Amino acid sequence: MKTDSANKCVIVIFGATGDLAKRKLFPSIYNLYKKGKLSSNFAVVGAARREWSNDTFRRNVATSIQESKIDVDQDINEFLNHFHYLSFDVTNTESYTNLNDLITNLDEEFSIPENRIFYMAMAPQFFGTIASYLKANGVTNTTGWNRLIIEKPFGHNYESAQKLNDDLREAFTEDEIYRIDHYLGKEMVQNIEVIRFANAIFEPLWNNRYISNIQITSSESLGVEDRGGYYDHAGALRDMVQNHMLQMVALLAMEPPNRLTTEEIRTEKIKALRALRPMTPNEVDSYFVRGQYGRGIVNENTVNGYREEGNVDPKSKTETFVAGKLVIDNFRWAGVPFYIRTGKRMTEKSTKIVIQFKNLPMNLYYKSKEEMHPNLLIIHIQPDEGISIVLNGKKIGLSGETNPVKLDFCSSCQDVVNTPEAYEKLLNDCIIGDATNFTHWDEVALSWSFVDIISKVWENSTPTDFPNYESGSMGPKIADKLLADDGFHWWPITDESDYTI
């Protein structure tokens, strides 16, 4: 095991009996431990309302690791000895006193230099309360470092996000706050920077002289499942666009940083988000469309429409699909539309980025513009991770005709077992103090400022055509018009063997 003091810490998980901790956090911590990324000088405190003992908590951790299909070593019991449980009331001062006493004892037991991570894996309405109580009761008064990990949603609009940020900043500085976006932990999202800045065949072409449009699709085949209560107040715009989608746009559009440091990379992302062209309320319908899924067939099974899901208003006007056209007003991207779409109950689970290059001014191998096939760079985020390049090649035979040829590199095919899960990577980043793949407040603020214009227009109008797309489809037909008006179309996410127009 490594003994560097950088990875000696106590991790406090608020909401340790919840689904996020069980599915993501405990397996991720175990993987880091197995790989030596987390020294033996660590402890995990689970804090939640349930009256559990340490043994009950440890059994729950062991079960979550086994259900995650991780290969469990014989040292599992030694690992579990680092886990302790505390029944916790977030509004009770005594709970914080007990927490501080427990952490102090664990620091001594495991020789931890008072380094502490506080992970908010619970309802966001308690984030500010917990942060203020941690400071008021001396839990953050240490000789080591303190770091706070915040899960989304970070507010539900700009005003609430600003209020939450102000509350957190009462107890933590900006460089101590790690706003987690699990998309930024995905291998191929992190690979966007490498693809751009480490390859001479791409970066010189990464501008409006050579790229005609960029498309980002993040589709899910599942519906809202058991999240109906939350989702009906959030919708696809807040749940996906404000964070995941705009983060990918920023990575694709940012200028090359001077150095690969957290500050430089964040600065360039912020500049890209600042260059997003704002819309007036009257322009929203020209740039964005919304949808809601109805009944349909998914995997040969008939599924309910959104309004028939549990904990959903039968007359809900909440969108489960969003498509939009983004314009970035800077020298590099002037005239290049960025198209995004995301939704529930679509054809399949897939996240892909398609960069479409401009056609040659005169292509000798095509008789008409309609026959031209553009070159494409496809970045596969999930479920398969990799890159595809679509070129034009000669058809085999005597005709002299051409057809598109797709060259594939599959990153996840190389070593699926050892590919780190997003939460594992981000937890490790937080432990070592690397905030590059976490969201800065300025990014959050700019994203909400952009999205709020759309959400206010939609909240003040009632769609008359909901539901407007069948489950199992790629969304409402009106989303196609966004691209058709510019002479483009959505590239398919399912059958990539045929990329003809």
Side-chain angles (χ1 to χ4, degrees):
M1 292 289 180
K2 295 171 65 175
T3 58
D4 187 350
S5 62
N7 59 6
K8 296 179 180 180
C9 61
V10 175
I11 304 172
V12 181
I13 302 175
F14 295 100
T17 60
D19 188 56
L20 174 64
K22 180 178 180 180
R23 290 189 303 109
K24 300 295 184 181
L25 303 187
F26 300 147
S28 295
I29 294 171
Y30 183 61
N31 267 340
L32 292 175
Y33 178 78
K34 282 181 60 178
K35 295 174 182 178
K37 299 295 184 180
L38 188 64
S39 78
S40 57
N41 305 96
F42 84 98
V44 177
V45 176
R49 288 177 296 179
R50 296 182 189 179
E51 296 287 343
W52 279 7
S53 65
N54 284 344
D55 288 340
T56 302
F57 181 49
R58 290 168 183 172
R59 285 196 297 270
N60 189 63
V61 173
T63 299
S64 76
I65 293 170
Q66 291 162 357
E67 289 179 350
S68 68
K69 299 180 181 179
I70 296 173
D71 291 333
V72 179
D73 294 341
Q74 292 181 348
D75 67 349
I76 182 68
N77 289 327
E78 178 185 340
F79 170 76
L80 293 173
N81 287 335
H82 292 260
F83 283 71
H84 292 71
Y85 185 80
L86 182 66
S87 181
F88 201 84
D89 180 352
V90 298
T91 60
N92 189 332
T93 299
E94 185 179 355
S95 290
Y96 294 88
T97 301
N98 295 337
L99 175 62
N100 200 28
D101 291 342
L102 175 57
I103 296 176
T104 300
N105 291 335
L106 293 173
D107 283 341
E108 183 177 350
E109 179 180 351
F110 294 106
S111 300
I112 300 170
E114 297 189 22
N115 296 330
R116 300 174 181 182
I117 292 176
F118 303 97
Y119 199 121
M120 305 287 196
M122 59 191 307
Q125 62 261 34
F126 297 115
F127 291 175
T129 301
I130 293 173
S132 62
Y133 272 75
L134 286 173
K135 180 180 180 181
N137 291 278
V139 186
T140 58
N141 185 20
T142 73
T143 58
W145 46 255
N146 291 285
R147 290 167 190 155
L148 177 71
I149 301 181
I150 300 292
E151 281 280 344
K152 74 163 194 170
F154 198 87
H156 61 271
N157 56 21
Y158 176 80
E159 288 76 16
S160 61
Q162 178 74 69
K163 173 64 167 59
L164 175 56
N165 195 62
D166 290 344
D167 291 343
L168 297 181
R169 290 293 297 273
E170 290 289 326
F172 295 88
T173 60
E174 175 61 33
D175 64 342
E176 292 176 328
I177 302 173
Y178 288 66
R179 301 172 190 84
I180 199 166
D181 183 336
H182 70 272
Y183 264 57
L184 296 182
K186 293 182 180 295
E187 279 289 334
M188 290 309 300
V189 172
Q190 295 187 355
N191 223 335
I192 291 172
E193 296 171 48
V194 180
I195 292 169
R196 288 191 55 189
F197 305 134
N199 293 286
I201 64 172
F202 291 135
E203 181 52 31
L205 309 181
W206 212 266
N207 54 60
N208 52 11
R209 293 172 60 193
Y210 299 101
I211 292 176
S212 65
N213 72 89
I214 293 178
Q215 302 177 19
I216 306 173
T217 297
S218 184
S219 62
E220 296 184 46
S221 58
L222 295 176
V224 294
E225 306 305 301
D226 57 356
R227 299 174 68 221
Y230 158 75
Y231 198 91
D232 208 35
H233 291 90
L237 187 67
R238 292 187 175 103
D239 191 49
M240 288 292 295
V241 175
Q242 182 272 329
N243 38 70
H244 307 324
M245 304 300 282
L246 288 182
Q247 280 294 314
M248 286 189 282
V249 169
L251 288 169
L252 291 163
M254 64 185 277
E255 293 295 316
N258 294 330
R259 291 176 298 277
L260 292 177
T261 63
T262 299
E263 293 74 18
E264 295 291 343
I265 292 172
R266 281 178 161 181
T267 295
E268 297 304 335
K269 288 172 64 183
I270 290 167
K271 286 162 67 175
L273 291 172
R274 283 177 177 158
L276 281 174
R277 180 184 297 175
M279 295 167 288
T280 66
N282 291 334
E283 293 175 323
V284 167
D285 288 341
S286 299
Y287 285 89
F288 275 80
V289 301
R290 54 180 162 167
Q292 186 186 92
Y293 66 82
R295 290 191 173 193
I297 297 176
V298 177
N299 296 326
E300 300 181 356
N301 295 316
T302 301
V303 295
N304 288 333
Y306 176 71
R307 294 178 177 180
E308 301 167 302
E309 303 279 21
N311 299 317
V312 171
D313 183 349
K315 297 181 180 179
S316 175
K317 63 178 185 179
T318 299
E319 77 286 349
T320 63
F321 173 96
V322 174
K325 172 183 173 180
L326 284 67
V327 178
I328 298 177
D329 289 325
N330 62 19
F331 191 79
R332 179 184 290 265
W333 294 114
V336 179
F338 283 64
Y339 302 107
I340 61 173
R341 61 175 169 171
T342 181
K344 299 281 190 184
R345 282 288 186 223
M346 295 173 69
T347 305
E348 68 174 28
K349 180 180 178 65
S350 174
T351 301
K352 286 183 174 64
I353 299 167
V354 179
I355 294 94
Q356 178 176 335
F357 292 91
K358 290 183 177 180
N359 291 322
L360 293 173
M362 183 178 73
N363 194 318
L364 301 176
Y365 287 92
Y366 291 95
K367 297 178 181 179
S368 66
K369 181 179 178 181
E370 288 70 25
E371 292 181 357
M372 290 184 183
H373 195 285
N375 296 144
L376 306 174
L377 171 63
I378 307 164
I379 302 173
H380 308 265
I381 307 296
Q382 63 179 11
D384 298 320
E385 299 170 340
I387 306 168
S388 298
I389 300 176
V390 179
L391 307 173
N392 289 305
K394 180 184 175 299
K395 283 185 179 180
I396 297 175
L398 302 177
S399 67
E401 296 178 353
T402 66
N403 64 346
V405 178
K406 189 156 72 76
L407 310 178
D408 291 319
F409 166 71
C410 180
S411 177
S412 58
C413 298
Q414 292 185 318
D415 197 348
V416 176
V417 175
N418 291 322
T419 299
E421 208 272 346
Y423 275 92
E424 179 187 333
K425 292 176 67 67
L426 294 174
L427 268 173
N428 183 61
D429 285 349
C430 182
I431 290 169
I432 65 177
D434 183 355
T436 304
N437 296 307
F438 293 83
T439 310
H440 189 275
W441 162 245
D442 288 348
E443 297 173 60
V444 175
L446 289 165
S447 298
W448 275 125
S449 297
F450 182 82
V451 163
D452 277 354
I453 297 170
I454 307 166
S455 61
K456 287 176 183 177
V457 170
W458 287 356
E459 286 169 1
N460 293 322
S461 61
T462 301
T464 57
D465 59 345
F466 275 11
N468 61 356
Y469 71 98
E470 289 186 5
S471 291
S473 70
M474 282 307 295
K477 295 298 183 182
I478 192 174
D480 298 340
K481 190 175 185 298
L482 282 174
L483 283 74
D485 287 347
D486 296 330
F488 303 123
H489 65 91
W490 293 107
W491 291 101
I493 66 164
T494 52
D495 183 11
E496 294 179 357
S497 62
D498 181 10
Y499 267 89
T500 55
I501 294 177

